[in-house]
Amino acid sequence: MSENCSHDCERCAQNCGERTKESLLEKLHEGSNVKKVIGVVSGKGGVGKSLVTSMLAATSQRKGFKTAVLDADITGPSIPKVFGVHEQVVSVNDVIMPAVTENGISIMSLNLLTADETDPVIWRGPIIAGAVKQFWTDVNWGDIDYMFIDMPPGTGDVPLTVFQSIPVDGIVIVASPQELVSMIVEKAVKMANMMNIPVLALVENMSYVICPHCGEELHIFGESHIENIAKKYDIHSVAKLPIDPALAAACDNGKIESFEGEWLNKLFDDIQSR
């Protein structure tokens, strides 16, 4: 560093050790104010990440918070379906207005932009990443207390884009009980640690099923390992979701906001206290 350094790295051409790193964070739309952003991730597909995202959003809304869901799973969007929202969003003066669910949750998903919700998205990675950024920069979210981002599975391009472009306050990792999935969960935990994103909680979906005759919990996918992973990585909040036909029906019928159960209440309270 020169002794004549002005500490104004933006105007300086020198590549010295004191140069501050350029932020990759994208600017939120000027008409929006999002207080807390929570990413919901999974190491692999098919473990119920979108279910957990929608249930957390419904739980937040029930507790009186203004809530939003950003569907970053561009090639496999399911958020509009589980909330029963099918009409396209509108744009006013080049600003996209999010859709609003029956109970007032703001949502944005690529399925709300396509002419037909069954149209496939055949895009390469950079275009997908750009769409996710636009959901943050070009959507007028208004005043939001909690935004939940439904991420695509894995540790690839889009999760990396979200972590670098959006100020994520922490993530919730969703898994199922199998040993292989436990190994994949650890990959997601390690990615979050590498990106300096706090892991707020682990959710084990399909953890058990309740016998309709005796009420016993049956662990049809084997015993849980989620507590061991939580202990290993010092994660204090863990929740388990059962295999429940009522939850599946709520998703299929677009009625997830009316689900019955308190499985995620304590987990949300833990997030709120962070």
Side-chain angles (χ1 to χ4, degrees):
M1 179 177 66
S2 168
E3 59 185 23
N4 296 320
C5 179
S6 66
H7 302 285
D8 186 1
C9 297
E10 186 176 344
R11 299 175 183 273
C12 178
Q14 297 298 317
N15 188 25
C16 71
E18 297 298 316
R19 174 175 288 278
T20 57
K21 293 183 179 179
E22 181 181 357
S23 173
L24 298 176
L25 291 177
E26 296 289 338
K27 186 178 179 181
L28 180 65
H29 181 268
E30 61 183 9
S32 306
N33 177 31
V34 179
K35 297 180 179 67
K36 206 162 192 177
V37 179
I38 308 299
V40 183
V41 309
S42 63
K44 66 183 294 293
V47 298
K49 169 185 50 59
S50 298
L51 169 66
V52 172
T53 302
S54 57
M55 290 176 68
L56 280 172
T59 300
S60 172
Q61 191 77 0
R62 289 175 184 180
K63 289 179 177 287
F65 296 102
K66 294 179 180 179
T67 306
V69 178
L70 189 160
D71 190 355
D73 196 351
I74 300 297
T75 59
S78 56
I79 290 300
K81 178 177 174 58
V82 299
F83 282 103
V85 177
H86 302 285
E87 65 275 10
Q88 287 185 296
V89 295
V90 298
S91 176
V92 179
N93 296 326
D94 295 327
V95 176
I96 302 171
M97 305 303 295
V100 180
T101 69
E102 183 177 351
N103 290 344
I105 299 172
S106 299
I107 64 172
M108 186 61 211
S109 171
L110 194 72
N111 259 16
L112 301 175
L113 293 171
T114 57
D116 190 313
E117 61 185 12
T118 63
D119 288 344
V121 177
I122 309 174
W123 294 348
R124 294 193 182 276
I127 300 177
I128 294 174
V132 172
K133 291 180 183 179
Q134 284 186 284
F135 286 174
W136 178 255
T137 61
D138 295 359
V139 175
N140 187 351
W141 291 100
D143 191 21
I144 297 296
D145 294 312
Y146 286 93
M147 173 182 283
F148 296 92
I149 300 182
D150 186 20
M151 304 263 232
T155 56
D157 200 27
V158 173
L160 181 61
T161 295
V162 171
F163 289 158
Q164 291 182 329
S165 304
I166 298 175
V168 178
D169 294 285
I171 65 169
V172 175
I173 298 177
V174 183
S176 59
Q178 297 97 317
E179 182 65 40
L180 175 61
V181 175
S182 298
M183 178 268 292
I184 295 173
V185 169
E186 295 197 53
K187 290 180 181 288
V189 172
K190 290 179 179 179
M191 179 182 185
N193 290 340
M194 291 172 65
M195 301 298 297
N196 294 317
I197 305 292
V199 180
L200 303 177
L202 299 179
V203 178
E204 185 174 74
N205 188 31
M206 300 178 284
S207 181
Y208 58 91
V209 63
I210 300 293
C211 175
H213 302 293
C214 67
E216 181 184 356
E217 289 187 6
L218 304 176
H219 300 272
I220 60 176
F221 289 121
E223 291 300 318
S224 171
H225 301 278
I226 205 77
E227 287 91 352
N228 296 335
I229 298 175
K231 183 177 180 180
K232 180 176 180 179
Y233 290 99
D234 197 28
I235 301 168
H236 300 290
S237 188
V238 174
K240 297 181 181 181
L241 292 178
I243 298 173
D244 188 341
L247 287 177
C251 290
D252 291 341
N253 297 323
K255 297 292 184 180
I256 194 61
E257 289 173 290
S258 63
F259 81 89
E260 296 181 0
E262 299 181 353
W263 304 288
L264 299 180
N265 283 18
K266 184 180 182 303
L267 185 150
F268 179 80
D269 290 341
D270 290 342
I271 290 175
Q272 187 183 349
S273 66
R274 294 291 291 266

